[in-house]
Amino acid sequence: MSREARNLHWLLTNLVEEVPGLLSVAVVSSDGLLLLSSDPGATGPGGSEPGRTGADASGRPAGPKGSSADLATIVSGLGSLTLGAAKLMDGGGVKQTMVAMEDGSLFVMSISDGSLLGVHATPDCDMSVIAYHMALFVGRAGHVLTPELRSELRQSLESRGAADPSAPGEYAEVPRPREPRTPLRTPGSAQ
């Protein structure tokens, strides 16, 4: 694995470990392909069967039905929809999209060259904290996510899927989000 791939993997791991309320995270290429994910099992939420929802083994609510592939599809579709809307309204580039639902929130932020960062979060999440940490991720990952790195990440996911679809990926997946070990500093808080 290249140094850049390790760096991007570390950035996503840091995001999911430090930000409370995240259910799943996906980095998606401009053509809608999943590049990096917080979902440890590509078969379903928490490693369960496809299409099942509820809670994972730790009791935390599971992500979208069908695992990270579904989150990637949702993120890609929402990104495309908002780009089309921005063009029709002469609104310029789309920086961030947020959808608040009864049982969760979805955030999508542009990274670079059409790549997107998507986050599925709990309904009681602190939206400003999530948006802040997503912006940090995007700022740090934007210059690293080159076409070569996107190809490397995609090949890593494909080779893992071809070998054993239920096995966790060695390079392309990060741990499921968990509660932070230390309190977070929010934007505007004292340092």
Side-chain angles (χ1 to χ4, degrees), residues 84-181:
K87 285 179 184 177
L88 284 173
M89 295 188 270
D90 293 324
V94 177
K95 296 178 182 181
Q96 179 180 0
T97 304
M98 198 276 297
V99 178
M101 303 168 280
E102 286 181 20
D103 294 325
S105 297
L106 175 66
F107 302 84
V108 179
M109 196 173 280
S110 298
I111 298 175
S112 65
D113 296 338
S115 296
L116 301 167
L117 171 64
V119 171
H120 178 215
T122 61
D124 60 344
C125 69
D126 187 332
M127 294 179 189
S128 63
V129 169
I130 290 176
Y132 173 75
H133 283 277
M134 287 178 71
L136 288 178
F137 178 92
V138 165
R140 294 172 182 158
H143 68 282
V144 175
L145 200 54
T146 62
E148 294 80 17
L149 180 56
R150 286 193 293 271
S151 177
E152 178 184 346
L153 293 170
R154 188 66 203 152
Q155 287 173 357
S156 175
L157 275 176
E158 288 172 353
S159 65
R160 183 199 52 83
D164 179 3
S166 64
E170 184 177 348
Y171 304 123
E173 295 178 1
V174 297
R176 293 250 323 146
R178 63 174 191 228
E179 293 301 316
R181 290 173 269 183

Side-chain angles (χ1 to χ4, degrees), residues 7 21 40 55-56 71 173:
N7 286 344
D56 65 11
L71 180 59
E173 295 178 1

